[in-house]
Amino acid sequence: MFINKHCLYFVFVITNNMVSLHHDNDTKIRNLQIRCNSINILNHTIMSTKNFLHEVMSLAWQFVRKNGFTMSEALKCAWANMKLKLQMKSKIVKFYFQKVDGSVREAYGTLNEKLMPTITGTDNRKKNDTVQTYFDTERQEFRCYKKANLLKIA
């Protein structure tokens, strides 16, 4: 509990990042609560951005090490992969990638659980960081592509 220096007749109590004001002025209470909530949202956004950028840079370095990309090429490909992954979490996305045999494949895929069938069984397979799995809506199956082979998002 402390007394505000600007308004000595207000007494504030801070608990769990919420400020409650012991006075009959409701607008001040709402303004302070909104300010505290926006600070929490900003902190969450900054942490999400840091994690996202960390993931982009890690993927780019993986392309440099394993595929011989320049850093510029690697960053472009990493950003494209991250954007595709985010879009696929919400909707069906059309994208192109180069298959292992060299041909270009047009795919319509999603990662949205509402748009794909329920998954049964256990997933005991080892995760592979170099490929992106997705649900192919044309063939109604799970498929994957090498992240380094993503060409463009339509």
Side-chain angles (χ1 to χ4, degrees):
M1 198 183 293
F2 68 92
I3 298 175
N4 188 344
K5 293 178 183 176
H6 301 290
C7 304
L8 292 176
Y9 53 89
F10 292 118
V11 177
F12 296 92
V13 177
I14 299 178
T15 55
N16 297 333
N17 291 330
M18 291 300 294
V19 177
S20 60
L21 182 60
H22 295 279
H23 196 273
D24 289 337
N25 194 344
D26 288 338
T27 57
K28 291 261 187 202
I29 292 172
R30 273 189 245 116
N31 289 342
L32 290 170
Q33 288 176 342
I34 290 170
R35 213 173 295 140
C36 288
N37 286 337
S38 62
I39 290 171
N40 288 338
I41 291 168
L42 181 63
N43 287 339
H44 176 71
T45 305
I46 290 170
M47 291 308 295
S48 298
T49 304
K50 278 185 176 181
N51 292 337
F52 184 79
L53 292 176
H54 174 75
E55 201 171 338
V56 169
M57 288 303 292
S58 297
L59 188 57
W61 276 112
Q62 175 185 321
F63 293 151
V64 170
R65 284 191 314 270
K66 293 184 178 180
N67 301 96
F69 284 20
T70 64
M71 194 58 183
S72 176
E73 293 170 333
L75 282 169
K76 286 177 189 174
C77 192
W79 274 107
N81 273 282
M82 294 302 293
K83 287 177 185 176
L84 177 62
K85 186 176 175 182
L86 282 174
Q87 287 180 12
M88 284 198 301
K89 286 184 178 181
S90 63
K91 61 183 181 179
I92 298 171
V93 182
K94 178 181 176 182
F95 59 98
Y96 298 88
F97 64 91
Q98 186 174 4
K99 292 171 44 172
V100 177
D101 65 2
S103 62
V104 175
R105 169 136 161 43
E106 174 186 63
Y108 293 87
T110 187
L111 294 174
N112 189 337
E113 293 179 6
K114 295 176 185 172
L115 301 174
M116 57 181 156
T118 56
I119 301 169
T120 58
T122 58
D123 187 18
N124 295 333
R125 296 171 62 169
K126 186 178 175 185
K127 302 290 184 222
N128 188 348
D129 291 336
T130 62
V131 298
Q132 174 66 53
T133 59
Y134 66 96
F135 183 74
D136 191 326
T137 55
E138 290 181 317
R139 302 203 181 179
Q140 297 295 312
E141 315 181 309
F142 283 94
R143 297 192 163 258
C144 66
Y145 66 91
K146 288 187 178 182
K147 291 179 181 179
N149 291 347
L150 179 65
L151 298 176
K152 73 175 189 174
I153 304 168

